[in-house]
Amino acid sequence: MARISLTPRRSLLLRFTDWYSKRTYGKVLDPARALAHNPRVLWSDLRFELSVAKWKHLDADLKALAVMASAASIGCSWCMDFGHWESQERGMDVRKLRDVPVWRDSDVYTRLERDVMEYAEAMTANPPEVGDEQAERLLTTLGEAAFVELTAIVAVENLRSRMNSALGLTSQGFKDNCEIPVREARPRSASA
């Protein structure tokens, strides 16, 4: 259950956002409804997402795998649900979408796809666990522009997934079943 009401005051911005969401996705997106409690945050988020959508140096399937690996790492069922639907709508192989949470045990991914998901998980770890060899391998394979985009999209997904998870947003039914495995809690350090 969401930790914030999904029925904010009906501003002009919210009415437009609802209309656009229904037209584009078939339903109103819960994150937009949650952010609408602060119209400046919603407006900034919408402008930011429109800008992010224009990034085109990284292959769309690699981008989707990076985003979903990060969302699965964080445990954001809303992001997994929407990401699966969005990528499937674009024509991505459903087996690859389904296996993201267990990608290490799946045989459907190429070496590059595995490197991308490993990098996304390493960036998402707290603190980040990106290694020099790992980054160099991706930089050499993808090139500088795509590597920067990969790094940025994982950071963007961390923002999305952490915000949605903290707000208590869960799957909206874009995908019938979100396969996020139960993760064991990491022990907290004594300083935490």
Side-chain angles (χ1 to χ4, degrees), residues 19-119:
W19 169 82
Y20 180 81
S21 288
K22 285 179 191 172
R23 183 171 172 252
T24 306
Y25 309 112
K27 59 179 82 177
V28 176
L29 305 181
D30 286 350
R33 284 286 177 98
L35 296 182
H37 287 284
N38 185 325
R40 286 183 188 234
V41 171
L42 175 60
W43 179 243
S44 295
D45 184 68
L46 293 172
R47 289 182 17 229
F48 179 67
E49 289 292 348
L50 287 172
S51 180
V52 168
K54 294 177 184 174
W55 299 351
K56 302 293 182 198
H57 285 281
L58 183 63
D59 173 80
D61 285 356
L62 292 177
K63 191 180 300 190
L65 292 173
V67 163
M68 290 183 69
S70 180
S73 233
I74 291 168
C76 181
S77 66
W78 194 94
C79 297
M80 291 295 292
D81 179 43
F82 185 76
H84 186 283
W85 174 83
E86 184 178 45
S87 297
Q88 187 175 349
E89 286 288 306
R90 196 178 37 73
M92 191 169 170
D93 183 344
V94 176
R95 294 171 305 156
K96 289 184 178 188
L97 297 169
R98 181 197 64 226
D99 285 359
V100 167
V102 293
W103 67 266
R104 284 180 175 80
D105 300 323
S106 176
D107 61 359
V108 300
Y109 301 107
T110 66
R111 179 73 229 161
L112 177 57
E113 291 167 337
R114 290 175 176 286
D115 285 347
V116 164
M117 289 186 286
E118 182 180 40
Y119 183 75

Side-chain angles (χ1 to χ4, degrees), residues 7-26:
T7 55
R9 188 178 65 79
R10 298 282 304 157
S11 67
L12 181 60
L13 177 59
L14 180 60
R15 288 195 306 266
F16 172 76
T17 303
D18 284 357
W19 169 82
Y20 180 81
S21 288
K22 285 179 191 172
R23 183 171 172 252
T24 306
Y25 309 112

